[in-house]
Amino acid sequence: MKKLLFAITLSLFFSCNDGDIEVQVIDFEQGTIDSCDSTISTDTSILFKINDTEAIILELASGLLKNEITAEGTTIQSNIPTSKLTYRTFSDKVTKTYFCGDIPPAEPAVLEELEAKSGTVVITTTTDTDSINFNHNIQLEDIVFITENDTQISDLNLNSFGIITTKKE
């Protein structure tokens, strides 16, 4: 009996998780969109949101942002991977300077990086009452991340990426 108990305990010990990070939930509904550009314009292509030790990076396809109001019931769309969406986890808290420096710093280290394999970036553009600013509401639909183990992320809370504002040029 002691040998059986020892064997079971030993097998449980060796079957435990090896400590690899396994993303279960990606949630960036809260927080603000940021960019390395001092002023976001229609030329801005890299947008990101930071959540402590996580970041979601959206690289928009060229020419996707336009200072034009989308007609009611229509949107501007870009499929992934034409526009690129990347999720990263870091070894420590990450800030805007990590993304905006000429050479990315060595710390915090990237622990995991997942690129979306499919989905759609949907943009609806409106204007303010003075028609000076254009408000671009960025939505993410049907986003699918696949881990290196070929498993799909089970819980995505990414639908509303957020709203950015550009000025009339």
Side-chain angles (χ1 to χ4, degrees):
M1 183 66 173
K2 288 181 183 181
K3 289 181 183 181
L4 179 61
L5 183 59
F6 178 73
I8 291 172
T9 304
L10 193 58
S11 69
L12 288 174
F13 177 74
F14 284 111
S15 67
C16 290
N17 187 337
D18 61 2
D20 290 341
I21 294 175
E22 189 172 312
V23 178
Q24 295 296 323
V25 176
I26 296 178
D27 184 358
F28 283 88
E29 288 290 313
Q30 302 301 315
T32 57
I33 298 174
D34 213 340
S35 171
C36 293
D37 298 341
S38 57
T39 302
I40 294 178
S41 72
T42 56
D43 294 331
T44 300
S45 61
I46 306 286
L47 303 168
F48 53 89
K49 290 175 95 172
I50 298 171
N51 185 3
D52 199 31
T53 60
E54 302 172 290
I56 193 88
I57 305 117
L58 177 61
E59 185 175 346
L60 295 172
S62 179
L64 196 60
L65 281 180
K66 297 177 183 176
N67 281 346
E68 300 172 1
I69 299 170
T70 49
E72 189 173 330
T74 65
T75 58
I76 297 169
Q77 296 186 4
S78 175
N79 291 326
I80 290 178
T82 303
S83 287
K84 187 176 170 184
L85 186 66
T86 307
Y87 168 77
R88 288 184 185 167
T89 58
F90 296 89
S91 61
D92 202 358
K93 189 174 182 174
V94 68
T95 64
K96 178 179 178 173
T97 56
Y98 175 88
F99 294 100
C100 299
D102 290 336
I103 299 172
E107 293 292 327
V110 176
L111 298 177
E112 184 171 27
E113 180 174 289
L114 301 174
E115 287 198 24
K117 300 300 179 191
S118 64
T120 307
V121 178
V122 179
I123 301 174
T124 306
T125 302
T126 58
T127 188
D128 59 14
T129 55
D130 297 334
S131 299
I132 295 172
N133 295 316
F134 289 86
N135 302 310
H136 309 275
N137 184 359
I138 302 172
Q139 301 287 321
L140 303 173
E141 295 180 351
D142 304 320
I143 300 298
V144 176
F145 287 99
I146 306 293
T147 67
E148 62 184 33
N149 300 330
D150 291 329
T151 56
Q152 185 173 322
I153 301 298
S154 59
D155 187 6
L156 297 174
N157 196 7
L158 286 173
N159 297 332
S160 177
F161 192 74
I163 297 173
I164 59 170
T165 300
T166 57
K167 293 197 178 294
K168 192 173 194 174
E169 297 169 350

